[in-house]
Each structure stands twice: as structure tokens, then as C-alpha cells.
Amino acid sequence: VFGETMVELAQKNERVVAVTAAMPEGTGLSKFAQLYPDRFFDVGIAEQHAVTFAAGLAAEGFRPIVAIYSTFLQRAYDQILHDVCLERLPVILALDRGGLVGEDGATHHGIFDYSYLRSLPHMVVMAPRDENELKRMMLTALQHDGPVAFRYPRGPAVGCPPLSAVTPIRIGRAKVLKEGHDVVLMAIGASVMEALAARGLLADQGIQATVVDCRFVKPLDVSLAVDLARQIPRVLTIEENVRQGGFGSAVLEAFNDAGLNSVALERIGLPDAFVEHGPQSLLRNLYGLNAAAIARTAFRFLKQNDYVPNAGHSFHTRIASVRP
């Protein structure tokens, strides 16, 4: 999906160029390279150079899209900070394999990017829930006059019907997908689909959850988050990123800044540890990030906060074997 959309964007805008670091096939840029060889740059295993080179291109009026695996972009942190963000240049960072990657092992999980990117001034950080949102975010990034990063997972697309027309998303605007009055599930990226599935499991037990596709880690849709928390002061955040400094931390900061001291909030994410080798489905189950685990956490969370309406005592055992 990323590779096909790159070609579509390049057809409409001759300033679009692609940069990658020895991963043209892995990032889906092979077709782009064939069609636009003069606008494709593989700099080899040199992520630092890829980012600084893209900054130079952006300074000269091009619109570089830098496609790098999330875990390898960490090598270019200094260049992102000083050469892109400090200069407020319109460099687009496409973070492939964001979240739990699976069988490539501990070195390849892209579970730190929300944390290390959201701290940088001028940087926009976003993540799509499905392939249509990925296309929209790519167009959004291209129209934004400043640094942008978006991350998307390894694996097949969700399979939603293609859009008849791709339109940009307003920067910093979240979307409420489902409404409920018992608990709010605020999710980002691929975790949104797990949150939607968890909502169905909770509904079977009489618990009605609001599900929000937050879309942006930075800027967060603070207005929507605060309004929902005031109406439903029971919130769970869900992300395939380490909890330290990630999406859930951004929500906590927003609530603190708004003076919402009575909101019960729990962050579902990855612990302060390196995640081992294993299939994505197994790891999501192990670390509490699939639908069944999210539902169990939500049930426990509500019970701890003395709010479990119409829920049976057999909830935990009923959903223990459910997998998304």
C-alpha cells in the first residue's frame, strides 16, 4: 500500500522524491525506483546520511519521503533533531515495521518511535489504523509544511474497501469510532483495530465502551480527549510502543495540564524491556495487546474503580480463549 501510494503521489507531484537506507524492497519502493530512477535514492546502510540528505533536498524545494524501518531510524536521532526539526524542514519520515515485528527478533521491533519523536519541537507524529488511513496520512504529510513522521506495521493490510477519493486529515484531529458510556478506549495505529474487537467482547458483558482512533501522538487531540474524560472519567490508552514517554504518557500530560485529577487512567503498552523473538500474534497476547487481553484489562480496571455495570463474574474465563 505504501509503495503504490508513493507512485500515485509522484505522478501528481514532480517534487516528490524517495530516500531509503538499503531497503528498497523491504519498504516497497522497488516500483517507484523503476518508474522514477532520477527521484529515487538508496544511500546504503547510512540512516544518518539519509536524513541529512533529505533535509538538503527539502531545503532546495523537493518533498523527500524517507522510508526506513522504525528500529533503524533510531540511528538518525541527532540528524532528525538538528538537521530537520531545528530547521523546520518538510522532511517526511515513513517508519516501516512500527510496533511488534515478530520473527526478526529483539533488534527489529519498532517500539520506541512514539517516545523519541514526540519530544522533538515542530515534529508531527501520526499512525494509521488501516490502509485507507495510511494513504490519507501520506497525503496529509505531503501537504504539511514541516517535519512529519508516520509509522505503520509489518504485515498485511486490514482489508477495508478502498477509498474513492483520498483526502488529507486535519493535523491533530482524532476520530470517535464507537460510542459508549462506561469506559473510553483511546488507541493509536494498529492497536485501534484490537480496541474495536475488545469493545465487542466488552459489549457481550454489558459494558459499553467509546473507542477513539487518536491518529496523532503529536499534536494530540487534547480538546476531544479532555471532553471525553470529563464525561467518562475512566480511560484506557492502547499502543504498541513502550509506555515510557509514549502515547499514553501524552494523554496523561494532557489531563494533568487540564487539571483533570480525578480521571482514572491505565496505559496499555509495552514494558520497560526488550521484546523477544516470536510471532506477532503470540507477542500481542503475551504483552496484553490483543483484543481479549485489552478486554480483560478493561474489566479489571473498571472493577478496581468500582464500576462494573451488568457484568457477570465469569467474564475473565469467558474471554480467556478468545483471539482476534
Side-chain angles (χ1 to χ4, degrees):
V1 173
F2 172 76
E4 291 172 359
T5 307
M6 281 291 294
V7 170
E8 294 169 6
L9 294 175
Q11 289 172 343
K12 299 174 182 177
N13 187 340
E14 62 182 12
R15 296 180 301 152
V16 171
V17 298
V19 181
T20 191
M23 291 293 176
E25 292 85 10
T27 57
L29 287 174
S30 297
K31 185 176 180 181
F32 185 101
Q34 293 172 357
L35 293 174
Y36 303 103
D38 294 335
R39 294 158 63 183
F40 172 76
F41 302 93
D42 182 352
V43 302
I45 304 177
E47 288 80 5
Q48 298 94 325
H49 171 59
V51 171
T52 300
F53 175 55
L57 290 170
E60 292 299 318
F62 293 97
R63 296 310 308 266
I65 300 176
V66 186
I68 296 176
Y69 291 7
S70 169
T71 189
F72 297 144
L73 190 66
Q74 293 153 187
R75 299 169 177 169
Y77 181 83
D78 182 65
Q79 287 71 28
I80 298 169
L81 195 161
H82 285 123
D83 299 336
V84 175
C85 291
L86 184 63
E87 307 296 336
R88 207 166 189 166
L89 289 168
V91 172
I92 300 169
L93 303 174
L95 281 66
D96 198 343
R97 287 158 171 74
L100 294 170
V101 173
E103 288 87 342
D104 287 331
T107 58
H108 279 54
H109 295 302
I111 58 176
F112 305 103
D113 49 48
Y114 291 162
S115 302
Y116 71 75
L117 289 174
R118 68 175 284 260
S119 65
L120 302 179
H122 309 312
M123 178 63 78
V124 172
V125 184
M126 52 187 174
R129 70 177 182 270
D130 59 33
E131 61 268 40
N132 284 337
E133 287 286 286
L134 172 60
K135 291 181 178 181
R136 296 187 67 194
M137 286 185 179
M138 291 175 70
L139 181 60
T140 302
L142 197 58
Q143 295 184 359
H144 180 65
D145 188 23
V148 180
F150 58 88
R151 68 118 92 162
Y152 47 100
R154 178 186 186 181
V158 173
C160 52
L163 296 170
S164 57
V166 178
T167 57
I169 300 169
R170 183 175 172 181
I171 297 288
R173 179 61 60 87
K175 183 176 183 179
V176 176
L177 301 180
K178 298 288 183 180
E179 295 185 1
H181 52 77
D182 295 323
V183 65
V184 180
L185 305 180
M186 298 182 65
I188 186 82
S191 295
V192 175
M193 304 310 293
E194 299 292 348
L196 285 170
R199 181 184 188 273
L201 296 173
L202 290 168
D204 291 342
Q205 303 301 316
I207 298 173
Q208 301 301 316
T210 288
V211 178
V212 184
D213 178 1
C214 289
R215 288 174 168 161
F216 294 86
V217 176
K218 182 183 180 181
L220 188 72
D221 194 337
V222 175
S223 177
L224 177 63
V226 168
D227 286 348
L228 283 172
R230 284 177 173 150
Q231 297 172 43
I232 312 168
R234 296 165 296 279
V235 179
L236 279 81
T237 64
I238 309 158
E239 61 188 307
E240 275 195 24
N241 192 83
V242 292
R243 286 191 293 267
Q244 291 88 342
F247 164 65
S249 294
V251 175
L252 271 173
E253 292 164 17
F255 289 172
N256 179 76
D257 292 345
L260 295 181
N261 300 318
S262 60
V263 174
L265 186 145
E266 179 157 342
R267 294 171 297 145
I268 298 175
L270 292 162
D272 184 19
F274 290 105
V275 176
E276 63 270 37
H277 165 108
Q280 288 171 303
S281 59
L282 183 150
L283 294 175
R284 290 189 180 112
N285 180 54
L286 182 63
Y287 287 96
L289 287 165
N290 64 9
I294 292 167
R296 286 195 298 270
T297 299
F299 181 79
R300 173 184 54 75
F301 169 78
L302 291 172
K303 190 174 182 180
Q304 287 176 344
N305 288 278
D306 300 320
Y307 192 90
V308 190
N310 304 318
H313 296 293
S314 60
F315 181 83
H316 179 87
T317 55
R318 281 188 183 184
I319 69 169
S321 63
V322 176
R323 294 291 176 265

